[in-house]
């Protein structure tokens, strides 16, 4: 977490949490969801405005974490902004050299792999659960064929309970 964020938490410890205003889609893109968008429909049916500003994305990604209940959030100064998840807390980006990175660029170590009823591949890693990015499925297939991963079956509706995360945090 950024030092400036830690300082803000100490200075203003009782700022209310924020819900519904930030979301992460299944491709690792962040979305702002203002009040009008929230009223227009749930995420990901109505996504909102994709955050394209590199420095804002980097700030969000440096201050992205989970609470004890498995709700993921962005610590924006003294305010905790809870994140709506389309799929999982992490979106895995596979590298040609075999490394696995989060959508935020952090290296992860894969512990197990899971395949759902729609053919989506999930990895449980030392950082937690995540969905393999659709653009990286060829590299994922190589890892399975090489015996590095042996996907187990999982139903998508069971992911949150099995891996302990919350897709739609509530106050």
């Amino acid at each position: 977490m950024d030092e400036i964020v830690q300082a803000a938490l100490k200075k203003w410890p009782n700022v209310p949490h924020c819900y519904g205003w930030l979301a992460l889609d299944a491709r690792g893109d962040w979305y702002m969801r203002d009040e009008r968008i929230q009223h227009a429909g749930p995420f990901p049916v109505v996504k909102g405005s994709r955050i394209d500003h590199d420095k804002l994305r980097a700030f969000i990604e440096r201050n992205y974490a989970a609470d004890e209940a498995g709700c993921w959030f962005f610590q924006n100064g003294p305010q905790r902004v809870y994140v709506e998840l389309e799929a999982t807390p992490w979106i895995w980006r596979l590298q040609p050299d075999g490394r696995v990175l989060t959508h935020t660029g952090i290296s992860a170590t894969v512990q197990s792999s899971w395949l759902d009823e729609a053919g989506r591949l999930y990895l449980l890693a030392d950082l937690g659960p995540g969905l393999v990015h659709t653009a990286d499925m060829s590299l994922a297939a190589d890892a399975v064929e090489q015996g590095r991963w042996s996907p187990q079956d999982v139903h998508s509706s069971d992911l949150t309970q099995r891996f302990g995360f919350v897709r739609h945090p509530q106050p």
Side-chain angles (χ1 to χ4, degrees), residues 26-90:
R27 295 183 60 84
D29 289 323
W30 299 101
Y31 287 85
M32 289 295 299
R33 303 188 75 247
D34 64 20
E35 207 167 322
R36 180 184 61 80
I37 293 298
Q38 290 178 47
H39 288 299
F43 183 78
V45 175
V46 180
K47 286 192 170 183
S49 301
R50 192 171 96 188
I51 299 173
D52 291 323
H53 190 277
D54 290 338
K55 289 186 180 185
L56 177 56
R57 284 181 59 97
F59 181 62
I60 291 170
E61 291 169 355
R62 283 192 315 272
N63 297 286
Y64 180 57
D67 68 13
E68 61 283 344
C71 297
W72 287 76
F73 62 90
F74 154 54
Q75 191 68 48
N76 183 23
Q79 186 171 53
R80 186 171 282 189
V81 179
Y82 281 95
V83 177
E84 295 277 326
L85 302 172
E86 180 176 356
T88 56
W90 299 113

